[in-house]
Amino acid sequence: MRSAHTVAQVRAAEAPVLAATPEGALMKRAATGLATALAEFLGRVYGARVLLLVGAGNNGGDALHAGATLARRGASVDAVLLAPDRAHPGGLTAFRHAGGRVVDAPRGPYDVAVDGIVGIGAAGGLRPEAASLVASLEGTPFVAVDVPSGIDVDTGRVEGPHVRADLTVTFGTHKVGLLVDPAARACGVVHLVELGLDLPAPVVEALQEDDVRGLLPVPAPDAHKYTRGVVGVRAGSDRYRGAGALCVSGASTGLVGMVRYVPADAGSAVASLVQADHPEVVVGEGRVQAWVVGSGADDAAAEQLRAALADGVPVVLDADALGVVDRPLGVPAVLTPHAGELARMLGVERAEVEADQLRCAREAARRFDAVVLLKNRHTLAVDPDGRVRVTTVGPPWLATAGAGDVLAGLVGALLAAGLAPFDAASVGSWLHGAAAALASGGGPLTAPDVARAVPRTCARLLGEP
């Protein structure tokens, strides 16, 4: 099942959200949406065996009302009440009247288990009784109500036992923990049920096709190569020749009018490799609107960065260049670390970054006064002003050598074309993931495949054949 969200940006709000309609009406909408999603997930309702894990409060009430709907349609529905004295009264009454059974323990096997244990107000992992119950159902597919129980909804952290859902049916708006890893990994497919809520300002956004289409730099009818922008690349070394060539590949995807490549050494073999792959690229110094620095730069990173900063134009820093940054750069900048690189920049262990990705990326954005593009399964673009966008497109096959070099070049091209650093980072990450999905076709791919697919991805986005 794909997300039912229909507006452009996926907007994630911190809990709680504000209701614009009475609670009873909201629960009815939520439960109806949950029951519909469960029916689609099951493929059939009549004769299906369903288990509800019901905690206290409205989350359990949603599960009970949805279970009642399925029971009326011929499903066999059991419910285990984890807090019998605090089960939602209306939901429990409706469930029993529909023929649902309250049981002390699962009587499996079941076709699906519905996680209605805790909702958005909970903190920390599952309590021992709930954790034991969930563990006993290993092998049974889970559908989570609003959020998988045990994740941290507002930060994306996971601290302790939690539900791993195959499907999460969320209500009103996406929550931060549904988009930001590691919590997002526990959510499976996310399906949004609209409730008509008055929502607070989003703290995380995920660009969708309409957003990217609106931000993509498209040439004016009278454009020429210089008005479209020139991006410069200072990357690669004799030790890492391919990184420089791949970074140029990401920059030379047609999003700017020209690409310049400046090798670390006058006689560098990287320049020959770049020209062989990209005869359109100009090798040598010249005016640019943005620089990309660091991919495979090795010992030349510091000098390449110094030379780029001397021009006073926006910069993208990747790989080796990240290791020489210890303060704000004084120009608009995008930093593109993976978790290990960000850990070194912050002086912490990699495990800390992986467990608390949003907080660490925010800290780095503030410390270095730069947009931080934290590369991961769900890549985060974090602006120093607090804005956050998460990229959720891109297949697992994108975890391949050289993909980050391509991404750095692509972001640099968007900077040179005139996008602000936050937009260049988030749009570049989205195009990178979408191009990988197009190039992959469900199978393996390599970094050059991603670069070659960017023009086709843009053409599809713009509605061209």
Side-chain angles (χ1 to χ4, degrees), residues 11-426:
R11 300 158 65 88
E14 289 180 332
V17 295
L18 306 175
T21 51
E23 178 184 331
L26 289 177
M27 181 166 286
K28 182 177 180 180
R29 291 181 195 173
T32 299
L34 175 59
T36 301
L38 281 165
E40 184 176 338
F41 182 84
L42 287 164
R44 64 181 178 91
V45 174
Y46 188 84
R49 299 203 66 196
V50 179
L51 175 66
L52 311 179
L53 305 183
V54 181
N58 290 345
N59 228 52
D62 293 333
L64 288 166
H65 278 294
T69 298
L70 297 180
R72 286 193 293 269
R73 293 178 56 184
S76 173
V77 188
D78 292 346
V80 175
L81 307 182
L82 280 83
D85 296 338
R86 293 183 291 143
H88 191 276
L92 188 56
T93 298
F95 178 71
R96 283 176 164 149
H97 284 174
R101 293 176 297 276
V102 174
V103 297
D104 294 329
R107 307 184 303 169
Y110 294 98
D111 297 305
V112 68
V114 179
D115 164 28
I117 302 171
V118 293
I120 58 177
L126 292 172
R127 294 180 179 177
E129 179 186 359
S132 177
L133 181 58
V134 169
S136 73
L137 294 165
E138 184 177 359
T140 303
F142 268 81
V143 172
V145 181
D146 210 11
V147 295
S149 295
I151 70 167
D152 192 308
V153 179
D154 292 335
T155 68
R157 294 195 300 263
V158 173
E159 299 174 354
H162 59 281
V163 169
R164 291 188 174 273
D166 296 87
L167 169 69
T168 296
V169 182
T170 199
F171 308 123
T173 182
H174 289 74
K175 286 74 181 176
V176 174
L178 305 184
L179 298 176
V180 175
D181 282 338
R185 290 200 297 267
C187 299
V189 176
V190 178
H191 174 78
L192 177 66
V193 176
E194 298 279 8
L195 295 182
L197 300 177
D198 291 331
L199 298 172
V203 295
V204 173
E205 296 177 337
L207 295 183
Q208 304 296 289
E209 287 190 6
D210 286 347
D211 305 304
V212 178
R213 186 180 298 113
L215 290 167
L216 198 67
V218 178
D222 60 347
H224 55 77
K225 63 184 178 183
Y226 294 115
T227 61
R228 291 189 59 206
V230 180
V231 61
V233 177
R234 295 180 182 271
S237 60
D238 284 341
R239 184 179 181 187
Y240 300 113
R241 300 177 186 180
L246 288 168
C247 187
V248 170
S249 294
S252 188
T253 50
L255 290 167
V256 286
M258 194 169 85
V259 179
R260 288 188 182 277
Y261 177 68
V262 180
D265 302 307
S268 172
V270 186
S272 298
L273 182 60
V274 165
Q275 286 188 304
D277 288 346
H278 299 282
E280 76 282 5
V281 171
V282 176
V283 175
E285 299 278 358
R287 186 175 178 181
V288 301
Q289 280 70 55
W291 281 107
V292 185
V293 182
S295 301
D298 203 18
D299 294 337
E303 174 57 26
Q304 288 182 342
L305 179 57
R306 184 203 62 77
L309 292 177
D311 283 347
V313 299
V315 296
V316 178
L317 271 62
D318 185 42
D320 295 313
L322 298 169
V324 298
V325 177
D326 59 3
R327 62 178 61 88
L329 297 167
V331 298
V334 178
L335 313 180
T336 64
H338 54 59
E341 291 165 336
L342 186 59
R344 288 191 290 274
M345 295 176 75
L346 294 176
V348 300
E349 295 297 320
R350 179 175 184 141
E352 181 177 337
V353 174
E354 291 177 335
D356 207 352
Q357 295 174 30
L358 183 56
R359 181 188 63 79
C360 289
R362 281 174 165 161
E363 180 181 341
R366 289 191 297 266
R367 181 181 301 186
F368 299 105
D369 193 27
V371 172
V372 172
L373 191 63
L374 177 56
K375 298 178 290 192
N376 216 314
R377 186 188 76 103
H378 283 187
T379 292
L380 298 177
V382 180
D383 193 271
D385 68 10
R387 290 178 295 164
V388 180
R389 288 175 180 161
V390 57
T391 301
T392 59
V393 298
W397 298 108
L398 187 52
T400 186
D405 304 323
V406 172
L407 175 60
L410 180 56
V411 173
L414 291 166
L415 266 182
L419 292 192
F422 184 60
D423 289 335
S426 52

